[in-house]
């Protein structure tokens, strides 16, 4: 079976992280979020996959390659345009990206699945496809029920008693919401869908294609299914998703490393004496880290690969990415630290601190040294 992963967006709501890595490559507990989606496709025999790329495309293509190590075949559709003799990225929209692939090779010759590359799910895709075929529609949206107090964060899907979509609401107020079914960005299509996508230009699935199908009274269905869904929509989601996993609210997500004590996971080649440190779980300490005696880590917390936590420093309820050195006496609390950037759990950038760029011994990668107390 064939599938497509949408990965061409610039990830503006996750800046400045996405200035250096594309949104689908944002790691959740060390694994790029899109990697989990490829693994899920493989589990359900969706083994021929095209990924549309644009912003920082080389990072995605360089990591996933041809897909053989995931037991799938991967191809890439780079969305670009020629300006003054140079190719520059040009996003075509989710539906426009589909159309480009179809015009190029006729790739989608049977029922196919399209997903966003910035979410983790454990959906039974095989069952979803069965239900789609049973209904006989041209397209199906996989929806999920959310509490009424959360509808304001999502696009709401309204259906009739046969499950056919009748309208949409974009982030409605609680009192205005006509449904608690939300659009999860997981779609199943028949090739006939391409008759309803323009030949050229930018065109979006959710805001343009689907409303057009509804207006024409074409068979667009919504299938509501129970599954876990972690969406990395903005900076605050990175922490909230990580915290939910560490707090045991996402039982299907594998925590990396070896559990060396209850609620404490450790990677390889890491130096730490648990009896000489104050570690309050849940805590994940990745590979290649050095945690000095006298350091304190209060969970939920993640120390990314090759991090250094000096003695008498404190990391509390924080997410620290790769190659960060927390100096002696520093107190990192309720923060996400990525490269030169630090955010609180509301997504607000913290004041500029005294950062120094060093190179770790024997490594070519940069270490960011946190020199002042946070």
């Amino acid at each position: 079976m064939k599938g497509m992963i949408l990965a061409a967006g610039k990830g503006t709501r996750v800046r400045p992280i996405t200035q250096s890595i594309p949104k689908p490559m944002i790691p959740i507990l060390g694994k790029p979020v899109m990697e989990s989606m490829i693994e899920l496709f493989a589990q359900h025999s969706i083994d021929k996959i095209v990924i549309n790329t644009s912003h920082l495309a080389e990072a995605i293509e360089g990591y996933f390659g041809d897909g053989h190590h995931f037991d799938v075949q991967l191809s890439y559709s780079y969305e670009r345009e020629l300006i003054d003799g140079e190719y520059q990225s040009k996003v075509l929209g989710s539906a426009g990206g589909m159309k480009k692939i179809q015009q190029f090779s006729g790739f989608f010759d049977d029922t196919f699945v399209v997903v966003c590359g910035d979410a983790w799910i454990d959906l039974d895709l095989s069952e979803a496809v069965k239900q789609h075929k049973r209904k006989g529609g041209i397209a199906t949206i996989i929806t999920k029920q959310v509490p009424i107090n959360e509808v304001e964060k999502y696009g709401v899907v309204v259906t009739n008693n046969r499950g056919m979509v009748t309208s949409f609401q974009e982030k409605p107020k609680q009192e205005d919401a006509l449904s608690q079914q939300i659009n999860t960005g997981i779609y199943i299509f028949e090739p006939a869908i391409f008759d309803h996508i323009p030949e050229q230009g930018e065109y979006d699935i959710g805001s343009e294609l689907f409303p057009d199908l509804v207006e024409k009274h074409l068979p667009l269905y919504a299938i509501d299914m129970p599954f876990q869904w972690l969406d990395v929509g903005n900076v605050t989601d990175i922490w909230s998703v990580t915290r939910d996993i560490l707090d045991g609210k996402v039982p299907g997500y594998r925590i990396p490393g070896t559990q060396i004590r209850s609620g404490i996971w450790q990677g390889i080649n890491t130096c730490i004496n648990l009896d000489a440190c104050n570690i309050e779980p849940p805590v994940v300490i990745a590979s290649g880290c050095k945690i000095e005696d006298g350091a304190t880590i209060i969970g939920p917390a993640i120390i990314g690969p090759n991090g250094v936590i000096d003695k008498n420093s404190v990391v509390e309820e924080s997410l620290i990415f790769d190659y960060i050195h927390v100096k002696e006496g520093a107190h990192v609390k309720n923060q996400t630290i990525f490269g030169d950037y630090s955010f609180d759990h509301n997504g607000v950038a913290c004041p500029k601190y005294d950062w120094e760029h060093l190179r770790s011994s024997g490594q070519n990668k940069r270490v960011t040294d946190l020199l002042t107390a946070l």
Side-chain angles (χ1 to χ4, degrees):
M1 191 171 175
K2 296 177 179 178
M4 178 180 178
I5 299 178
L6 303 169
K10 293 185 177 180
T12 55
R13 290 183 297 162
V14 198
R15 285 179 179 169
I17 292 176
T18 47
Q19 289 176 326
S20 56
I21 61 173
K23 191 177 179 184
M25 296 300 294
I26 291 175
I28 302 299
L29 274 70
K31 177 188 289 190
V33 63
M34 195 171 79
E35 182 174 338
S36 298
M37 191 62 76
I38 292 174
E39 292 173 339
L40 182 70
F41 270 8
Q43 291 170 21
H44 292 275
S45 300
I46 302 173
D47 56 2
K48 296 178 177 63
I49 306 164
V50 175
I51 301 170
N52 71 326
T53 60
S54 186
H55 176 62
L56 299 175
E58 64 280 359
I60 296 174
E61 297 183 27
Y63 183 89
F64 292 106
D66 64 4
H68 73 273
H69 46 302
F70 298 102
D71 294 323
V72 299
Q73 296 179 63
L74 294 179
S75 180
Y76 303 91
S77 177
Y78 180 40
E79 298 177 5
R80 62 185 183 176
E81 63 180 340
L82 190 62
I83 299 177
D84 297 330
E86 294 185 3
Y87 280 110
Q88 298 183 18
S89 64
K90 179 184 180 182
V91 177
L92 299 175
S94 48
M98 286 168 48
K99 187 76 170 187
K100 178 177 183 288
I101 295 165
Q102 191 69 356
Q103 288 174 325
F104 177 71
S105 67
F107 178 74
F108 301 109
D109 55 1
D110 201 350
T111 305
F112 63 99
V113 179
V114 176
V115 299
C116 297
D118 57 1
W120 176 89
I121 61 173
D122 63 357
L123 174 69
D124 186 342
L125 284 173
S126 300
E127 177 60 26
V129 171
K130 286 179 183 178
Q131 292 194 38
H132 161 79
K133 290 185 175 181
R134 193 177 303 132
K135 287 183 176 293
I138 192 174
T140 294
I141 306 170
I142 304 301
T143 58
K144 183 176 175 62
Q145 291 280 339
V146 299
I148 189 64
N149 63 339
E150 293 185 14
V151 293
E152 297 178 351
K153 299 188 293 184
Y154 302 106
V156 168
V157 181
V158 184
T159 62
N160 61 22
N161 57 9
R162 293 183 292 116
M164 185 178 288
V165 178
T166 57
S167 64
F168 299 93
Q169 293 180 293
E170 184 60 28
K171 299 181 180 178
K173 294 180 180 179
Q174 295 182 36
E175 58 271 22
D176 297 328
L178 301 177
S179 166
Q180 290 173 240
Q181 290 186 90
I182 60 150
N183 184 350
T184 62
I186 306 166
Y187 312 124
I188 306 171
F189 293 107
E190 296 299 319
I193 195 67
F194 293 105
D195 294 337
H196 305 280
I197 301 175
E199 295 294 323
Q200 302 291 333
E202 186 173 344
Y203 200 64
D204 184 69
I205 293 173
S207 64
E208 295 176 286
L209 174 60
F210 285 162
D212 181 60
L213 297 181
V214 170
E215 184 177 346
K216 294 176 179 176
H217 303 288
L218 292 170
L220 168 63
Y221 288 93
I223 298 175
D224 198 76
M225 297 181 68
F227 64 98
Q228 297 178 102
W229 178 50
L230 305 177
D231 178 34
V232 185
N234 51 53
V235 170
T236 59
D237 288 336
I238 299 173
W239 167 251
S240 62
V241 164
T242 301
R243 177 167 192 151
D244 283 349
I245 295 170
L246 293 183
D247 285 343
K249 297 178 181 178
V250 190
Y253 202 101
R254 187 182 68 82
I255 296 178
T258 301
Q259 189 167 9
I260 55 176
R261 286 188 184 174
S262 178
I264 302 176
W265 290 264
Q266 177 184 311
I268 64 171
N269 191 36
T270 285
C271 297
I272 181 173
N273 180 356
L274 291 179
D275 295 325
C277 300
N278 176 26
I279 310 292
E280 299 182 17
V283 169
V284 175
I285 301 169
S287 298
C289 290
K290 181 180 180 181
I291 313 300
E292 292 189 350
D293 294 353
T296 296
I297 305 176
I298 301 172
I302 302 280
I303 309 300
N306 301 293
V308 177
I309 310 298
D310 281 353
K311 63 182 179 180
N312 301 323
S313 61
V314 178
V315 175
E316 183 176 353
E317 296 192 26
S318 293
L319 171 57
I320 296 179
F321 279 79
D322 307 8
Y323 291 91
I324 302 293
H325 185 172
V326 179
K327 298 288 282 188
E328 181 177 355
H331 189 163
V332 179
K333 182 176 181 180
N334 299 329
Q335 308 247 336
T336 294
I337 299 178
F338 175 86
D340 293 341
Y341 303 99
S342 182
F343 303 90
D344 65 23
H345 292 335
N346 294 316
V348 178
C350 298
K352 185 174 178 63
Y353 296 103
D354 183 11
W355 304 95
E356 180 182 329
H357 302 304
L358 303 174
R359 291 197 179 274
S360 60
S361 176
Q363 302 280 351
N364 290 323
K365 299 194 76 172
R366 174 180 53 77
V367 175
T368 296
D369 223 12
L370 182 57
L371 300 176
T372 58
L374 291 171

